[in-house]
Amino acid sequence: MDSRGEQKIIDQLRRSRLRATGQRLAIMQALDESFEHPSAEDIFNTLRKAHPTLSLSTVYKTLQVMAEMGAILTIETGIGGLRYDGHIHPHHHAICIRCGKVYDVDFDQYPVDLNRADIIPNFKIRSIKVYFSGICAVCDSLKGKPSAPPAGD
Ligand SMILES: [Zn+2]
Ligand SMILES: [Zn+2]
């Protein structure tokens, strides 16, 4: 990672009042470089070679802390576990119900004004999550083709 990329990640952690530890930096970097909205396992598999002492439970815990502090986003796909996003500019997500892929949706396509204090009285909104679900182009192009036989029951 070049020093400018590293500085960007350190700033992102600092804005969330998190110290830039080696593990946090490594996980943030993996998130920053991925546009696939990886799972904790995906991140662990990306990092395990270069960081042999890192455990999956550390990855989980680190992600949880960073998400709670607002340094990263979590995405609930409804299939499988949580997915993570290091790109925290306002944007929405579209989730394919077949393959579970998560696609970014431009905020301008569906803007929500978080500065409106009256959206929910007596409730301080920290973030907004809008999920679109459907079938992605890849899965759609596979329709009509014979699918794998269902697992026997
Ligand atoms: Zn799909
Ligand atoms: Zn995203």
Side-chain angles (χ1 to χ4, degrees):
M1 175 166 44
D2 62 49
S3 61
R4 229 183 76 205
E6 184 165 316
Q7 194 55 51
K8 188 186 88 176
I9 288 169
I10 292 171
D11 289 345
Q12 191 165 336
L13 286 167
R14 280 213 187 117
R15 272 196 299 276
S16 304
R17 300 203 190 95
L18 288 169
R19 238 167 12 94
T21 63
Q23 281 168 345
R24 285 176 188 157
L25 278 177
I27 292 170
M28 284 292 275
Q29 185 194 356
L31 278 170
D32 193 58
E33 286 171 355
S34 171
F35 289 89
E36 301 279 313
H37 306 88
S39 65
E41 289 86 353
D42 293 335
I43 295 165
F44 174 65
N45 287 327
T46 303
L47 294 177
R48 62 194 306 181
K49 232 185 183 158
H51 302 268
T53 59
L54 195 66
S55 70
L56 179 58
S57 74
T58 302
V59 172
Y60 267 114
K61 279 183 214 144
T62 309
L63 287 166
Q64 198 185 342
V65 169
M66 296 198 302
E68 276 168 13
M69 298 301 285
I72 60 172
L73 304 176
T74 56
I75 301 150
E76 202 95 52
T77 61
I79 5 176
L82 277 182
R83 307 277 288 272
Y84 299 89
D85 196 341
H87 309 105
I88 54 173
H89 62 279
H91 68 286
H92 306 307
H93 292 104
I95 298 152
C96 177
I97 57 172
R98 291 246 171 89
C99 66
K101 259 199 159 151
V102 179
Y103 296 86
D104 283 332
V105 178
D106 195 352
F107 190 75
D108 294 340
Q109 302 284 326
Y110 201 82
V112 185
D113 185 2
L114 287 180
N115 295 318
R116 271 187 49 199
D118 61 337
I119 295 179
I120 312 169
N122 305 317
F123 190 90
K124 195 165 180 246
I125 298 168
R126 276 180 58 190
S127 69
I128 178 148
K129 295 181 180 188
V130 174
Y131 296 143
F132 301 88
S133 73
I135 310 287
C136 77
V138 179
C139 290
D140 196 46
S141 72
L142 296 174
K143 80 174 172 220
K145 294 195 180 149
S147 56
D153 50 8

